[in-house]
Amino acid sequence: MTPKRALSPLALPAALALFAIQACAPADTVQGQQQRHEAACIGGTLAGGLVGGVVGSAFGGGAGRSLMTAVGAGAGMIGGNALTC
């Protein structure tokens, strides 16, 4: 059995940076609300892709694992976008 791959060490800091950027916009203006919404959409899409890719990589073997990782990431991005936008 082959060992599972760990997440990139940059995945968590990147996700936290997106949420930190979201918090920078003033929420009391329409422009600030739009910026926060856009950052949430981007963050949700990327987080969904990350989770979907990890789940997808648990299935298949060899080239099939790569395919399932890509399918999982794509499906996760669509789901994350639908939930946050």
Side-chain angles (χ1 to χ4, degrees):
M1 179 179 270
T2 59
K4 301 233 183 231
R5 289 187 230 172
L7 290 176
S8 169
L10 298 177
L12 183 60
L16 292 175
L18 284 173
F19 291 113
I21 290 170
Q22 175 186 359
C24 292
D28 58 346
T29 65
V30 173
Q31 183 181 8
Q33 290 174 349
Q34 289 172 343
Q35 288 175 347
R36 290 177 67 115
H37 177 72
E38 184 177 333
C41 286
I42 292 169
T45 302
L46 292 177
L50 179 67
V51 170
V54 169
V55 171
S57 71
F59 299 98
R65 175 171 284 175
S66 298
L67 177 65
M68 292 305 292
T69 301
V71 169
M77 290 176 81
I78 291 169
N81 189 317
L83 289 174
T84 58
C85 294

